[in-house]
């Protein structure tokens, strides 16, 4: 064989489809996927997806006893090599060349689409390892993360299965079910993806789907649950709750709390399940305590949470350092909302006002009329 070029790679892939005797060339294409030449690797990755998509459509990967032993063995061999191809794609997503990361993700998704349409059912077991890579790999590039978010937001069905798979990955790692070979969750990657995903389809009557399913009515005929709003909502909820159980860096902690009442709570199936997360947040310090109270207040006023300690915790924030915090303006804006609520006991409202007045009078910043930071 002469020098391998992208064009010769494409010719090899065409040969695999014209004669079954050439199917062994799939092994060569798998090898070329790992070529040190980005152009060769790119061509091999693209060509193999084309080969497998055609083989799947033809039914050659299906085991049918009626076709004889040789056909069954061939189907088994093809499925094993398809699994190997998926593994190569996931490995390439940590390649130093962003272009190869992108094409590996694209072809992984395209092959999942081919399989789902052939079976009229999304194969979550083939998607789960991809989600694990996206949530755990350290070397995933910014362009790939952006591509992942764009692709998931574009397809309502794929986003649903991402929520479910991510929930499993996050839960298994938190509960210690991961294997020694499984890398730890990359919290930054996980948050970058999850926080930018739409919580639900714009319309369940006209969903934007990756695959062309036969969405027949009836449980037995429709194995794709993403068409049901309550199940979709539960998948979103479980994903976020699983993420919030992990130890979060301060900036991500803060960002979660800031967006909680607008982007997360309204779409949760059971918002009160956030209570443990919010109480833990209150027990930290600084602005995070205040943001946690804002989340708790939302649960009280909009989701009927019974939390009698709320105003006692608010009162505890009125300490001698309050007027020196850089976030004091935000604190007082939120405090104004909290104190205007009918849930506030009158005696506690009086205590808070008295304490605040004392703080203002005693504050050194108040006595220093030339300290402009006090007024802004």
């Amino acid at each position: 064989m002469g020098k391998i070029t992208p064009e010769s790679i494409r010719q090899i892939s065409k040969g695999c489809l014209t004669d079954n005797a050439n199917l062994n060339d799939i092994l060569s294409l798998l090898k070329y996927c790992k070529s040190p030449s980005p152009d060769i690797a790119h061509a091999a990755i693209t060509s193999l997806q084309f080969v497998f998509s055609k083989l799947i459509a033809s039914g050659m990967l299906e085991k049918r006893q009626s076709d004889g032993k040789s056909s069954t063995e061939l189907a088994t061999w093809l499925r094993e090599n398809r699994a190997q191809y998926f593994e190569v794609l996931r490995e390439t997503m940590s390649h130093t060349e962003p272009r190869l990361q992108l094409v590996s993700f694209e072809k992984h998704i395209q092959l999942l689409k081919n399989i789902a349409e052939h079976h009229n059912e999304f194969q979550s077991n083939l998607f789960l390892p991809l989600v694990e890579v996206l949530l755990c790999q350290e070397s995933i590039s910014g362009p790939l993360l952006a591509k992942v978010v764009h692709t998931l937001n574009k397809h309502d069905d794929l986003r649903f299965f991402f929520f479910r798979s991510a929930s499993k990955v996050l839960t298994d790692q938190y509960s210690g079910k991961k294997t020694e070979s499984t890398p730890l969750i990359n919290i930054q990657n996980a948050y970058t993806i999850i926080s930018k995903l739409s919580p639900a389809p714009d319309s369940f009557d006209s969903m934007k789907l990756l695959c062309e399913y036969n969405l027949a009515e009836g449980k037995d005929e429709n194995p794709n649950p993403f068409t049901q709003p309550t199940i979709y909502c539960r998948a979103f909820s479980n994903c976020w709750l699983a993420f919030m159980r992990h130890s979060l860096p301060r900036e991500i902690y803060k960002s979660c709390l800031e967006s909680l009442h607008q982007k997360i709570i309204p779409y949760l199936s059971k918002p009160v399940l956030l209570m443990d997360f919010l109480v833990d947040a209150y027990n930290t310090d600084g602005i995070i305590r205040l943001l946690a109270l804002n989340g708790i207040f939302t649960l009280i006023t909009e989701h009927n949470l019974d939390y009698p300690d709320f105003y006692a915790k608010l009162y505890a924030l009125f300490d001698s350092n309050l007027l020196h915090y850089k976030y004091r303006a935000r604190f007082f804006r939120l405090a104004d909302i909290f104190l205007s609520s009918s849930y506030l006991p009158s005696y506690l409202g009086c205590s808070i006002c008295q304490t605040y007045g004392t703080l203002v009078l005693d504050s050194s910043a108040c006595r220093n009329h030339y300290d402009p930071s006090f007024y802004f």
Side-chain angles (χ1 to χ4, degrees), residues 5-17:
T5 64
E7 181 56 34
S8 63
I9 292 287
R10 286 186 279 272
Q11 292 303 318
I12 292 173
S13 67
K14 290 178 182 178
C16 291
L17 298 173

Side-chain angles (χ1 to χ4, degrees), residues 210-231:
L210 171 71
C211 309
E212 296 180 5
Y213 307 97
N214 177 20
L215 297 177
E217 295 296 329
K219 182 177 179 181
D220 294 335
E221 298 175 342
N222 180 14
N224 299 296
F226 53 81
T227 57
Q228 303 176 46
T230 54
I231 296 180

Side-chain angles (χ1 to χ4, degrees), residues 305-325:
L305 174 70
D306 182 18
Y307 191 68
D309 291 338
F310 176 81
Y311 283 102
K313 290 185 179 295
L314 175 63
Y315 179 74
L317 295 181
F318 284 83
D319 59 24
S320 58
N321 295 317
L322 176 61
L323 297 180
H324 300 282
Y325 289 150

Side-chain angles (χ1 to χ4, degrees), residues 115-363:
I115 297 169
E117 290 180 343
H118 182 72
H119 293 280
N120 194 39
E121 181 178 3
F122 192 84
Q123 304 294 304
S124 297
N125 61 312
L126 299 178
F127 188 45
L128 180 64
L130 171 60
V131 173
E132 190 171 76
V133 167
L134 295 174
L135 297 183
C136 298
Q137 283 289 353
E138 294 284 345
S139 53
I140 290 179
S141 65
L144 177 55
L145 287 174
K147 179 68 174 179
V148 170
V149 171
H150 173 76
T151 303
L152 294 176
N153 277 330
K154 185 178 179 181
H155 305 293
D156 296 326
D157 52 344
L158 191 62
R159 190 167 67 255
F160 168 81
F161 289 111
F162 176 85
F163 285 143
R164 292 219 305 194
S165 297
S167 174
K168 176 173 173 52
V169 173
L170 291 162
T171 300
D172 286 352
Q173 289 227 2
Y174 180 78
S175 59
K177 292 182 180 179
K178 75 179 189 69
T179 62
E180 292 184 2
S181 61
T182 304
L184 293 173
I185 292 292
N186 184 321
I187 292 296
Q188 184 61 61
N189 281 0
Y191 183 68
T192 297
I193 297 172
I194 296 171
S195 65
K196 294 180 180 178
L197 296 182
S198 300
D202 294 333
S203 170
F204 280 92
D205 294 327
S206 56
M207 299 179 73
K208 299 173 291 184
L209 303 179
L210 171 71
C211 309
E212 296 180 5
Y213 307 97
N214 177 20
L215 297 177
E217 295 296 329
K219 182 177 179 181
D220 294 335
E221 298 175 342
N222 180 14
N224 299 296
F226 53 81
T227 57
Q228 303 176 46
T230 54
I231 296 180
Y232 207 110
C233 178
R234 192 182 309 141
F236 173 82
S237 299
N238 291 342
C239 181
W240 268 109
L241 291 171
F243 176 76
M244 290 177 178
R245 292 189 190 102
H246 286 259
S247 177
L248 305 179
R250 184 177 180 83
E251 284 306 309
I252 292 180
Y253 213 158
K254 179 181 173 183
S255 182
C256 278
L257 289 165
E258 286 178 328
S259 60
L260 202 63
H261 63 292
Q262 290 183 332
K263 297 182 179 180
I264 301 175
I265 289 179
Y267 303 98
L268 296 181
S269 55
K270 294 181 180 179
V272 293
L273 293 179
L274 283 175
M275 196 58 212
D276 289 342
F277 172 76
L278 292 171
V279 170
D280 288 343
Y282 176 83
N283 291 331
T284 57
D285 56 17
I287 185 65
I288 289 180
R289 300 182 76 187
L290 175 62
L291 294 173
L293 277 186
N294 191 32
I296 295 173
F297 186 73
T298 301
L299 295 182
I300 292 172
T301 56
E302 298 180 15
H303 299 280
N304 301 316
L305 174 70
D306 182 18
Y307 191 68
D309 291 338
F310 176 81
Y311 283 102
K313 290 185 179 295
L314 175 63
Y315 179 74
L317 295 181
F318 284 83
D319 59 24
S320 58
N321 295 317
L322 176 61
L323 297 180
H324 300 282
Y325 289 150
K326 63 181 180 181
Y327 60 83
R328 60 179 174 269
R330 184 173 191 172
F331 174 89
F332 288 121
R333 283 197 299 271
L334 289 174
D336 181 56
I337 296 173
F338 300 157
L339 295 174
S340 63
S341 170
S342 59
Y343 290 89
L344 174 64
S346 57
Y347 74 90
L348 196 51
C350 292
S351 297
I352 290 175
C353 291
Q354 182 180 11
T355 301
Y356 175 56
T358 302
L359 289 175
V360 171
L361 292 173
D362 291 346
S363 171

